Structure formats: C-alpha cells, structure tokens
C-alpha cells in the first residue's frame, strides 16, 4: 500500500463526483421538503374543513406534523455532508492509495469487500460475482476510502 499523486484525469473525475454529490444532496432535500409540506397541507385541509373550521388546535397539529417530519430530513441532510467533506479533503490532498491485497470477506448484500489489510472496497459492476475469497485484488482508492478509482483482480 502506497500513497501516490492523482493524475489530471483522476482529479477531474473526483471533482465531477464531488459536484454530483453536492447537487444530488440539495435536489433531494428540496424534493422531500416540498413533499412533506404540500402533502401535509393537502391532507390537513379536508380534515380541517370536516371539523367545521372551529378547531385551531388542529392547525397547530398540522404544523407539528410538518416539524416532526422535518427532523429526520434535516439529520439526513447534515450527515450527508460528511461524505462531501471527505471527498473535498481527498481532492485537496491530491493523493490516492494504491496497493494489492487478498480478499478476506465479501458481503453478498451490498458487495462490500474487506481486504486482508482492513481496507474496504466495493465490487465493480463489470466484475459482478467473479471475486472469490482469497483472490488478489489491485485497488486504487482515495485516502478517506470515499471514492474508488479502480478495483480489479490481479
């Protein structure tokens, strides 16, 4: 396992991946925010009309539901920032880790591969179900293990 500098092509790939993460994060936040607010209001208006417009507590209940649904949305939005920060620090350092190691275990559900030196990589689509326990893997990853440049059989 050794640290080497990124090539220009890899820097561009990493910048594009970072930009994709940022735009996807904000797009998902806006989408779910609109769904929560509009859905709760659309669901609450008929119920409010059925009560005969007398119950002000019901409006506060609708606002409470909106606030309760915003809590997990906000937590998800803030925790997704961690991956973006890792990618940004990897880009700033301008290095990657290259090495060879044998496969210690393979998780069949998410295709996560744990190598004998403790590094975790994911099985690429082109090698789906071709990796076996004990195979020698050639990998190139970012220092934070957030982005995999290359992972293939030796």
């Amino acid at each position: 396992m050794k640290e080497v500098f990124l090539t220009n092509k890899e820097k561009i790939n990493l910048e594009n991946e970072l930009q994709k993460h940022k735009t996807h994060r904000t797009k998902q936040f806006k989408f779910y925010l609109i769904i929560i607010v509009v859905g709760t209001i659309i669901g609450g208006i008929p119920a409010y009309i059925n009560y005969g417009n007398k119950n002000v507590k019901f409006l506060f209940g609708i606002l409470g539901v909106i606030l309760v649904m915003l809590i997990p949305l906000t937590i998800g939005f803030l925790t997704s920032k961690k991956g973006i920060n890792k990618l940004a620090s990897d880009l700033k350092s301008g290095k990657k880790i290259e090495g060879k190691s044998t496969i210690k275990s393979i998780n069949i559900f998410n295709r996560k591969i744990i190598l004998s030196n403790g590094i975790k990589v994911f099985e690429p689509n082109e090698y789906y179900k071709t990796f076996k326990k004990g195979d020698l893997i050639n990998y190139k990853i970012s220092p934070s293990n957030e982005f995999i440049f290359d992972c293939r059989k030796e």
Side-chain angles (χ1 to χ4, degrees):
M1 182 168 74
K2 61 182 177 178
E3 273 195 6
V4 295
F5 288 103
L6 293 171
T7 63
N8 287 335
K9 184 179 178 183
E10 290 169 338
K11 281 183 184 178
I12 291 169
N13 287 344
L14 201 55
E15 287 172 353
N16 290 341
E17 192 68 24
L18 180 62
Q19 194 59 36
K20 270 198 285 185
H21 279 302
K22 286 180 179 178
T23 56
H24 179 73
R25 176 179 181 240
T26 55
K27 190 188 314 180
Q28 288 294 341
F29 182 76
K30 290 175 186 175
F31 175 72
Y32 287 113
L33 181 66
I34 289 169
I35 285 179
I36 288 171
V37 172
V38 172
T40 307
I41 290 173
I42 289 173
I45 288 175
Y48 182 70
I49 291 171
N50 287 340
Y51 280 115
N53 300 336
K54 296 177 185 172
N55 200 348
V56 176
K57 291 181 183 176
F58 189 75
L59 285 178
F60 290 122
I62 290 175
L63 293 175
V65 168
I66 290 174
L67 288 175
V68 167
M69 293 175 78
L70 287 178
I71 291 171
L73 178 67
T74 306
I75 291 171
F77 182 74
L78 295 175
T79 56
S80 67
K81 181 76 172 161
K82 203 173 4 175
I84 291 173
N85 289 341
K86 286 181 181 179
L87 280 175
S89 69
D90 290 343
L91 188 60
K92 200 177 284 186
S93 73
K95 294 184 179 180
K96 66 180 175 183
I97 297 173
E98 289 183 351
K100 294 180 184 178
S101 187
T102 56
I103 296 176
K104 184 177 178 182
S105 68
I106 300 174
N107 186 335
I108 59 170
F109 298 110
N110 61 3
R111 296 164 45 186
K112 185 190 301 186
I113 299 171
I114 300 176
L115 303 174
S116 60
N117 58 4
I119 292 179
K120 298 174 186 168
V121 294
F122 289 91
E123 182 179 20
N125 290 334
E126 61 266 14
Y127 293 112
Y128 182 61
K129 291 191 176 179
T130 59
F131 289 167
K132 306 259 186 298
K133 194 173 178 180
D135 286 348
L136 185 63
I137 299 293
N138 188 4
Y139 60 89
K140 297 175 186 174
I141 58 172
S142 63
S144 67
N145 202 3
E146 194 69 28
F147 186 74
I148 300 171
F149 295 104
D150 189 24
C151 177
R152 55 186 155 81
K153 260 187 184 181
E154 188 61 29

